[in-house]
Amino acid sequence: MGLQGCLLGLFALILSGKCSYSPEPDQRRTLPPGWVSLGRADPEEELSLTFALRQQNLERLSELVQAVSDPNSPQYGKYLTLENVADLVRPSPLTLHMVQKWLLAAGAQKCHSVITQDFLTCWLSIRQAELLLPGAEFHHYVGGPTETHVVRSPRPYQLPQALAPHVDFVGGLHRFPPTSSLRQRPEPQVTGTVGLHLGVTPSVIRKRYNLTSQDVGSGTSNNSQACAQFLEQYFHDSDLAQFMRLFGGNFAHQASVTRVVGQQGRGRAGIEASLDVQYLMSAGANISTWVYSSPGRHEGQEPFLQWLMLLSNESALPHVHTVSYGDEEDSLSSAYIQRVNTELMKAAARGLTLLFASGDSGAGCWSVSGRHQFRPTFPASSPYVTTVGGTSFQEPFLITNEIVDYISGGGFSNVFPRPSSASATSWNADLHCSICRFLLFSVYSLSPGTNH
Ligand SMILES: *[C@@H]1O[C@H](CO)[C@@H](O)[C@H](O)[C@H]1NC(C)=O
Ligand SMILES: *[C@@H]1O[C@H](CO)[C@@H](O)[C@H](O)[C@H]1NC(C)=O
Ligand SMILES: *[C@@H]1O[C@H](CO)[C@@H](O)[C@H](O)[C@H]1NC(C)=O
Ligand SMILES: *[C@@H]1O[C@H](CO)[C@@H](O)[C@H](O)[C@H]1NC(C)=O
């Protein structure tokens, strides 16, 4: 069949093998531990899918990131606005046209785009989605710490060949929501001091890093910081206020979050979400803090993708973001990894500092057909983020030297080459430094069994 036939196939939604391709043949599709299948989804049920549209000028974007991040460059610190980034990477008119036409023909409704126009999320019925993405077969699953329900396809999907130059991948089919790293923490193999310090309160951390009561944000500049929480993990304002009453007595601080982006559920507060907010706001004290919250049940198709889209849909954002989320690098399709890496590059161009937990499995040794390999965590392995590992106090009863926490990952990658130090990430000049020191310390050693 010639190209003409393939184009007809695109709009008629009829596909022969020759006219289709698999965007993510290497995506792991096995059910993660703790999830069970509840069977085929009803064809009339609705789901939302995310379409990652092909961007333009990525070479140029990469050069600009290098220039604004390199102290020796005349462009150092001259970060791009989101609108500048949009002007560069926005998909071509042909891409926008082709994808919209394809989605409309399939009956997709309520499509939402972002300022950079490189993502679309649309609602479709299961029937429409299975026609649109041949091969996909949607099932219900339940799992995770809060018994979340999601719809996913255990089978790979295909796209019309004519879309190969226009679509990177479709999100919401295969990847499951991340499970809290708190629950994955392995038991120490050596009993002893590691990971045990009784009561690592904010004042212990501030003392370890020599922060005085003057080392807080002034409230007069645009200092700002944010953390992201996924999978129905909430913090409660009243817990935060109580925490500050108990532990924030000797430094100026803010007792409430400036803005919650997304929906805060009404469920019980999550340990990890509470910990993230409370410690962020007591190390980066008196700094305006936002929390990105993944929307509630049934909506969060891929919470991490949703967070990335929020970044591309808002011009004025906090300068520093901390995220304790990661997947095994080898479980992700290369289309997805490359595209997420581009999203992180977009953020770096804007001068945003993204801090990611390095992972909880050390070098992550595993065996593939009898050969031992390292298993990096992504996005910690991206060259455009700052990866933060954890430490413990050597002597658990004193504020002394730290040692590397035994579970801490290294931020290395089997996909991306090591960046030159100048291009790694750009620290925003406004950043109050207590936060970087705090995050380099990380919160792995707060108490037994908690980490960031
Ligand atoms: C991006 O923001 C606009 C304006 O607030 C909104 O209408 C749109 O739904 C957002 N896009 C997504 C994908 O949420
Ligand atoms: C804190 O101050 C002590 C004593 O001056 C010094 O030895 C230590 O290196 C400082 N620690 C940090 C993290 O700056
Ligand atoms: C803390 O921030 C507020 C504004 O939010 C400011 O008025 C105050 O001076 C700051 N405190 C210190 C000790 O800098
Ligand atoms: C804070 O940010 C706003 C908007 O981004 C800007 O107009 C203002 O000049 C900034 N203020 C400071 C003190 O940097």
Side-chain angles (χ1 to χ4, degrees), residues 17 24 59 69 71 74 99 104 140 163 173-175 182 218 229 245 256 290 311 316 356 384 389 394 425 449:
E24 299 185 84
E59 281 287 305
S69 312
V99 176
L104 270 178
H140 278 281
L163 288 180
L173 277 101
H174 298 319
R175 287 165 293 272
L182 266 182
S218 63
Q229 54 198 35
R245 271 195 298 278
S256 59
W290 292 20
L311 293 190
F356 277 85
Y384 296 104
Q394 204 161 13
T425 45

Coordinates of all heavy atoms in Angstrom, one line a residue, residues 17 24 59 69 71 74 99 104 140 163 173-175 182 218 229 245 256 290 311 316 356 384 389 394 425 449:
G17 N -1.3 -3.8 8.6 CA 0.0 -3.8 9.3 C 1.0 -2.9 8.7 O 1.8 -2.3 9.5
E24 N 6.1 2.6 21.1 CA 6.8 2.2 22.3 C 6.9 0.7 22.5 O 6.4 0.1 23.4 CB 6.0 2.7 23.5 CG 5.8 4.2 23.6 CD 5.1 4.6 24.9 OE1 5.8 4.7 25.9 OE2 3.9 4.8 24.9
E59 N 17.5 20.9 18.9 CA 19.0 21.1 18.9 C 19.2 22.6 19.5 O 20.1 22.8 20.3 CB 19.5 21.1 17.5 CG 19.8 19.7 17.0 CD 21.0 19.1 17.7 OE1 22.1 19.7 17.6 OE2 20.8 18.0 18.3
S69 N 23.3 28.2 31.1 CA 23.8 27.5 32.3 C 25.3 27.6 32.5 O 25.8 27.2 33.6 CB 23.4 26.0 32.2 OG 22.1 25.8 31.9
P71 N 28.6 29.5 33.2 CA 29.1 30.8 33.8 C 30.0 31.5 32.8 O 30.1 32.8 32.9 CB 29.8 30.4 35.0 CG 29.3 29.0 35.4 CD 28.9 28.4 34.1
P74 N 28.2 34.5 27.6 CA 27.6 35.8 27.8 C 26.1 35.7 28.1 O 25.5 36.6 28.6 CB 27.8 36.5 26.4 CG 28.3 35.4 25.5 CD 28.8 34.3 26.3
V99 N -2.7 15.7 13.8 CA -3.1 15.1 15.0 C -4.5 15.4 15.4 O -5.3 14.6 15.8 CB -2.1 15.4 16.2 CG1 -2.6 14.8 17.5 CG2 -0.7 14.9 15.9
L104 N -10.2 14.1 16.0 CA -11.6 14.5 15.8 C -12.3 13.4 15.1 O -13.4 13.0 15.4 CB -11.6 15.7 14.9 CG -11.6 17.1 15.6 CD1 -11.6 18.2 14.6 CD2 -12.9 17.2 16.5
H140 N -9.5 -2.7 33.7 CA -9.4 -2.0 34.9 C -8.4 -2.7 35.8 O -8.3 -3.9 35.9 CB -10.8 -2.1 35.6 CG -11.7 -1.1 35.1 ND1 -11.7 0.2 35.6 CD2 -12.7 -1.2 34.3 CE1 -12.7 0.9 34.9 NE2 -13.3 0.0 34.2
L163 N 1.3 9.1 11.1 CA 1.6 9.9 12.3 C 3.0 9.8 12.8 O 3.3 10.5 13.8 CB 0.6 9.6 13.4 CG -0.9 10.0 13.2 CD1 -1.7 9.6 14.3 CD2 -1.0 11.5 13.0
L173 N -1.5 4.5 28.8 CA -1.9 3.2 28.4 C -1.1 2.1 29.2 O -1.7 1.1 29.5 CB -1.5 2.9 26.9 CG -2.5 3.4 25.9 CD1 -2.1 4.7 25.3 CD2 -2.6 2.3 24.8
H174 N 0.1 2.4 29.5 CA 0.9 1.3 30.0 C 1.5 1.6 31.4 O 1.5 0.7 32.3 CB 2.1 1.0 29.1 CG 1.7 0.5 27.8 ND1 0.6 -0.4 27.6 CD2 2.2 0.7 26.5 CE1 0.5 -0.7 26.3 NE2 1.4 0.0 25.6
R175 N 2.0 2.8 31.6 CA 2.7 3.0 32.9 C 1.7 3.2 34.0 O 0.8 4.0 33.9 CB 3.6 4.3 32.8 CG 4.9 4.0 31.9 CD 5.6 5.2 31.5 NE 4.8 6.0 30.5 CZ 4.8 5.8 29.2 NH1 5.6 4.9 28.7 NH2 4.0 6.5 28.4
L182 N 8.5 5.3 50.1 CA 8.5 4.9 51.5 C 8.2 3.4 51.7 O 8.7 2.8 52.6 CB 7.3 5.7 52.2 CG 7.6 6.9 52.9 CD1 6.3 7.4 53.6 CD2 8.7 6.8 54.0
S218 N 13.9 36.1 53.0 CA 13.5 37.4 53.5 C 12.0 37.7 53.2 O 11.5 38.7 53.8 CB 14.3 38.5 52.8 OG 14.1 38.5 51.5
Q229 N 3.4 15.9 44.8 CA 3.0 14.7 45.4 C 2.0 13.9 44.5 O 1.2 14.5 43.8 CB 2.3 14.9 46.8 CG 1.2 15.9 46.8 CD 0.9 16.5 48.2 OE1 1.8 16.6 49.0 NE2 -0.4 16.7 48.4
R245 N 4.5 24.7 64.9 CA 4.4 25.1 66.3 C 5.3 24.2 67.2 O 6.0 24.7 68.1 CB 2.9 24.9 66.8 CG 2.0 26.1 66.6 CD 0.8 26.0 67.5 NE -0.1 24.9 67.2 CZ -0.9 24.8 66.1 NH1 -1.1 25.9 65.4 NH2 -1.7 23.8 65.9
S256 N 2.0 28.1 56.3 CA 1.1 27.5 55.4 C 1.6 27.6 54.0 O 2.5 28.4 53.7 CB -0.3 28.2 55.5 OG -0.2 29.5 55.2
W290 N 4.9 26.1 47.1 CA 3.8 25.5 46.4 C 3.8 24.0 46.5 O 4.9 23.4 46.6 CB 3.8 25.8 44.9 CG 3.6 27.3 44.5 CD1 3.8 28.4 45.3 CD2 3.3 27.7 43.2 NE1 3.5 29.5 44.6 CE2 3.2 29.2 43.3 CE3 3.0 27.1 42.0 CZ2 2.9 29.9 42.2 CZ3 2.7 27.9 40.9 CH2 2.6 29.3 41.0
L311 N 3.9 22.1 34.2 CA 5.1 23.0 34.0 C 5.0 23.7 32.7 O 5.5 24.9 32.6 CB 6.4 22.2 34.1 CG 6.8 21.5 35.4 CD1 8.2 20.9 35.2 CD2 6.7 22.4 36.6
A316 N 4.6 31.6 35.3 CA 5.3 32.0 36.5 C 5.2 30.8 37.5 O 4.1 30.5 37.9 CB 4.7 33.2 37.1
F356 N 15.6 15.6 42.0 CA 14.9 14.3 42.0 C 15.6 13.4 43.0 O 16.9 13.4 43.1 CB 14.9 13.7 40.6 CG 13.8 14.1 39.8 CD1 13.9 15.3 39.1 CD2 12.6 13.4 39.8 CE1 12.8 15.8 38.3 CE2 11.5 13.9 39.0 CZ 11.6 15.1 38.3
Y384 N 19.4 16.8 32.9 CA 18.8 18.1 33.2 C 18.2 18.3 34.5 O 17.5 19.3 34.8 CB 17.8 18.4 32.1 CG 18.4 18.5 30.7 CD1 18.3 17.5 29.8 CD2 19.2 19.6 30.4 CE1 18.9 17.5 28.6 CE2 19.9 19.6 29.2 CZ 19.7 18.6 28.3 OH 20.4 18.6 27.1
G389 N 21.0 12.3 46.7 CA 21.0 11.1 47.4 C 20.8 11.3 48.9 O 20.6 12.5 49.3
Q394 N 26.7 9.2 61.2 CA 27.6 8.1 61.5 C 27.3 7.6 62.9 O 27.3 6.4 63.2 CB 29.0 8.6 61.4 CG 30.0 7.5 61.1 CD 31.3 8.1 60.6 OE1 31.5 9.3 60.7 NE2 32.1 7.2 60.1
T425 N 22.6 21.5 35.3 CA 21.4 22.2 35.6 C 21.8 23.6 36.0 O 23.0 23.9 36.2 CB 20.6 21.7 36.8 OG1 21.5 21.4 37.8 CG2 19.8 20.5 36.4
G449 N 13.1 4.0 58.5 CA 12.0 3.7 57.6 C 11.4 4.9 56.8 O 10.4 4.7 56.2

